[in-house]
Amino acid sequence: MSVSPVRLGAIDIGTNSIRLIVAEVEPDGRYRVLDEEREMTRRGHGLFARGRLASEPMERSLVALTRMKVIADGFMVSELRAVATSAVREASNGRAFCQEVRRRCGLRVEIISGDEEAELALRSARSHFDLAGRSVAIVDIGGGSLEVTLTVGAVVDEVLTLPLGAVRLMERYDTAGTLSPKRWRKLRRGIDRVLDEKLRKPPFHPEVMIGSGGTFTNLAAMAQLERETTARPVQGYAMSRAEIVHLLHRLRATPLPERREIAGLNPSRADIIVAGTAAVARLAKRLGTQQILVNTGGLRDGVLLAMIADRFPKDAKGSARPLSRLESARAFARQCRSNERHCEQVARLATQLFDGLAEQFGLPADARELLEAAALLHDIGYVINHAKHHKHAYHLILNGDLQGFSPRELEIVACVARYHRKAFPSKRHAAFERLERADRRLVRALAGILRVADGLDRTHTQRISAVTCAVHRGFVELMLQARTDPRVEIWDAERKAGLFLRAFKLKPRFAWLHGAGARLRLAAAS
């Protein structure tokens, strides 16, 4: 029996404008847009100075939302989801505004975080662009904030929310009209200070930036008309960083009345376009990105895609069965192109060590699976780069959409993977400091085990078939079953045993069970 398509609607309540999309969705997730509507209500005007939404922009927004609700109802949508971003999120009367929307329009508004904004922009970019094998910065700029998601091969490394929205910058640095060299330097330095504080040194230089939001679409329309003289849809339109810098200098030197006449620029955006373009240009320079692609979908498209995913859930193979936690970890490790044999071996040895130590040291039973997941994922950071792959593993795990883990468990898994090499866990590290005291002790213990297990496959040959533990006064004896001499593995495990010693207050000693149970104690290879 065929299943009829459903109609869904999404509303993006931004700082500068409100956008509606209505779509008809097939059971396989494909959809076609039935209607779109946009109104610039300037709800965030004056917010960043006063801290409150002003009454006139609020009233314009309520009128626009009432109209959009009527449009969506006319299409008989099964579900209408409305999300609000930085302006409502930051305003002291933001929740009061949402309550008034509910009273006047019968519409429940969801205030989403900056990370959620970034996730929705990423969802839209993944739907419209092939990210496989590319390092990409997904950027969504609104009136109040700018969200950046750094990905490699569609795997998320870092998510940032920056206070660099076009309206916020315009009001703070007075960029509506022409900019003198002095005011331009002030704007540029202000943007760079935020990038210094929040972004610091990028983990990699993205090959391409995929940008959504009115700043990007207007820049593309202007660049297109300069090049080609005829206007076409700008979805997927490619610009160079040099083109954006060229447009920026042209825009900042043009008085506001003349700026409103520039072909391709929406006149209602003429006062905020310089600020938005400056943020994009400085970010692209900091990231070292030369090519910018435009995604016209952006946040509202991401909301619609999230609604479709909720209504028609599928796993990676297209079936309705959800993956188990460890299946999800293995699938993600494969997506990151980890060395599967090595990571499986480290996970096997780590859980054997856990089994030998758990009762003696009171390790909780449910921590075994967290350790196994961390072992399977400990090397995924290589997809970003080798030098800091342990730190990249932390961010990738947190942003990897792993199934079945609670936020607390995911944080523990990420921290254990992050501490499989280099520095010991420390409360100077913000992520570790955020953990509860008991979870910090657990991370030390699990990461200590993981370091030893990683050392026991130093040659990546899976030489050791099993490890058993015997706890003695002052030391733990680790008995290794191996067909051939594991001297190099023992050498590496010994040099990585510092965190194990700190966590368990016992030094590991290694013995090789060779042949018919013969025990040979080996000196580490020199």
Side-chain angles (χ1 to χ4, degrees):
M1 187 176 81
S2 62
V3 180
S4 299
V6 298
R7 292 180 174 183
L8 303 176
I11 297 176
D12 166 17
I13 306 173
T15 300
N16 197 51
S17 60
I18 301 176
R19 292 177 170 87
L20 164 73
I21 184 171
V22 177
E24 189 168 75
V25 185
E26 299 291 339
D28 62 3
R30 291 178 301 160
Y31 70 92
R32 65 185 182 94
V33 175
L34 300 178
D35 199 6
E36 290 185 287
E37 185 65 45
R38 182 188 69 181
E39 291 204 34
M40 296 192 69
T41 62
R42 290 294 175 96
R43 190 179 49 270
H45 180 69
L47 163 68
F48 306 109
R50 295 189 303 268
R52 291 177 57 82
L53 298 171
S55 57
E56 287 186 17
M58 279 192 10
E59 182 60 31
R60 287 196 298 270
S61 299
L62 288 165
V63 171
L65 286 167
T66 300
R67 187 180 301 118
M68 290 179 183
K69 175 69 162 52
V70 171
I71 292 170
D73 288 344
F75 281 98
M76 294 183 290
V77 297
S78 301
E79 182 183 357
L80 178 61
R81 183 181 174 194
V83 300
T85 56
S86 62
V88 177
R89 192 166 62 231
E90 295 181 30
S92 60
N93 58 343
R95 293 199 175 275
F97 169 75
C98 293
Q99 290 169 357
E100 187 64 12
V101 173
R102 186 72 176 265
R103 189 185 71 82
R104 293 249 307 254
C105 312
L107 188 64
R108 190 179 74 83
V109 175
E110 177 187 351
I111 302 174
I112 61 173
S113 68
D115 282 358
E116 289 172 305
E117 284 189 65
E119 192 278 329
L120 292 168
L122 173 61
R123 189 183 287 269
S124 176
R126 279 176 169 163
S127 175
H128 298 293
F129 297 87
D130 181 9
L131 305 187
R134 310 173 80 184
S135 57
V136 181
I138 311 296
V139 179
D140 182 77
I141 182 168
S145 64
L146 183 152
E147 278 69 42
V148 184
T149 304
L150 300 177
T151 75
V152 174
V155 176
V156 175
D157 177 61
E158 195 164 3
V159 178
L160 299 166
T161 296
L162 309 176
L164 296 176
V167 175
R168 185 192 300 266
L169 290 173
M170 183 270 289
E171 292 187 351
R172 180 167 185 179
Y173 295 100
D174 189 22
T175 64
T178 54
L179 265 68
S180 66
K182 181 178 180 180
R183 281 200 297 128
W184 161 238
R185 286 193 299 270
K186 188 177 179 182
L187 171 63
R188 187 182 64 202
R189 289 168 183 166
I191 295 169
D192 288 348
R193 274 196 301 272
V194 173
L195 296 177
D196 288 341
E197 179 186 349
K198 301 287 187 180
L199 184 59
R200 300 185 183 93
K201 184 179 179 182
F204 56 88
H205 296 299
E207 303 165 38
V208 64
M209 176 186 293
I210 297 176
S212 56
T215 295
F216 284 104
T217 55
N218 276 262
L219 286 172
M222 285 186 285
Q224 183 189 81
L225 287 171
E226 275 196 354
R227 282 187 198 171
E228 305 172 16
T229 70
T230 57
R232 294 181 292 104
V234 296
Q235 172 63 24
Y237 191 81
M239 296 178 286
S240 68
R241 190 173 87 204
E243 279 183 283
I244 287 181
V245 171
H246 162 73
L247 284 169
L248 171 61
H249 292 317
R250 175 188 171 194
L251 289 165
R252 72 182 181 88
T254 305
L256 184 57
E258 288 85 347
R259 201 186 293 162
R260 291 194 176 101
E261 302 299 321
I262 294 177
L265 176 60
N266 183 338
S268 61
R269 282 193 167 271
D271 57 340
I272 62 173
I273 191 63
V274 170
T277 306
V280 170
R282 301 308 291 176
L283 175 64
K285 181 176 182 180
R286 178 63 58 93
L287 293 174
T289 304
Q290 297 297 333
Q291 186 182 49
I292 294 90
L293 303 178
V294 176
N295 179 20
T296 57
L299 190 63
R300 68 193 181 283
D301 183 51
V303 173
L304 179 64
L305 291 166
M307 295 167 71
I308 293 171
D310 289 342
R311 190 168 285 261
F312 304 107
K314 296 180 189 292
D315 68 15
K317 296 180 180 178
S319 69
R321 183 183 73 82
L323 298 176
S324 73
R325 302 196 320 173
L326 292 179
E327 284 174 336
S328 179
R330 286 185 169 94
F332 188 51
R334 272 183 223 110
Q335 188 181 355
C336 296
R337 304 191 295 278
S338 282
N339 183 328
E340 194 167 342
R341 290 177 61 191
H342 169 67
C343 292
E344 289 286 355
Q345 171 75 348
V346 172
R348 184 162 45 249
L349 297 178
T351 51
Q352 290 174 2
L353 289 170
F354 181 94
D355 293 340
L357 298 167
E359 184 176 355
Q360 184 83 14
F361 293 96
L363 298 176
D366 60 355
R368 187 183 193 274
E369 197 168 58
L370 303 184
L371 172 62
E372 187 171 1
L376 293 169
L377 297 166
H378 75 282
D379 275 349
I380 61 174
Y382 280 116
V383 75
I384 307 297
N385 65 43
H386 172 273
K388 296 181 180 179
H389 72 269
H390 55 301
K391 294 183 179 180
H392 294 304
Y394 172 83
H395 295 292
L396 291 170
I397 290 168
L398 285 187
N399 296 307
D401 196 26
L402 292 166
Q403 298 180 24
F405 296 94
S406 69
R408 168 190 167 267
E409 290 171 331
L410 206 58
E411 190 75 48
I412 290 171
V413 171
C415 280
V416 173
R418 183 254 186 270
Y419 290 116
H420 85 270
R421 68 190 290 266
K422 297 282 189 177
F424 287 4
S426 167
K427 286 198 284 186
R428 293 194 303 272
H429 304 152
F432 186 71
E433 196 275 335
R434 284 196 300 268
L435 296 173
E436 298 290 335
R437 179 178 296 180
D439 288 342
R440 289 200 293 266
R441 287 197 300 268
L442 181 61
V443 166
R444 289 190 188 98
L446 299 184
I449 292 172
L450 179 56
R451 288 185 183 215
V452 172
D454 191 35
L456 291 175
D457 195 40
R458 177 63 182 87
T459 60
H460 287 216
T461 58
Q462 295 76 59
R463 189 189 309 273
I464 296 168
S465 58
V467 56
T468 55
C469 303
V471 179
H472 303 284
R473 184 185 295 261
F475 70 96
V476 178
E477 187 173 36
L478 305 185
M479 291 159 283
L480 313 176
Q481 295 180 17
R483 293 183 303 277
T484 56
D485 187 345
R487 194 179 303 263
V488 173
E489 281 76 10
I490 290 174
W491 164 75
D492 201 46
E494 283 185 336
R495 74 188 185 115
K496 291 178 176 175
L499 183 55
F500 183 101
L501 173 61
R502 179 176 293 189
F504 296 103
K505 305 296 189 291
L506 295 172
K507 184 174 181 178
R509 295 182 183 175
F510 299 88
W512 173 25
L513 298 182
H514 179 58
R519 179 181 303 185
L520 301 176
R521 196 175 302 282
L522 297 175
S526 58

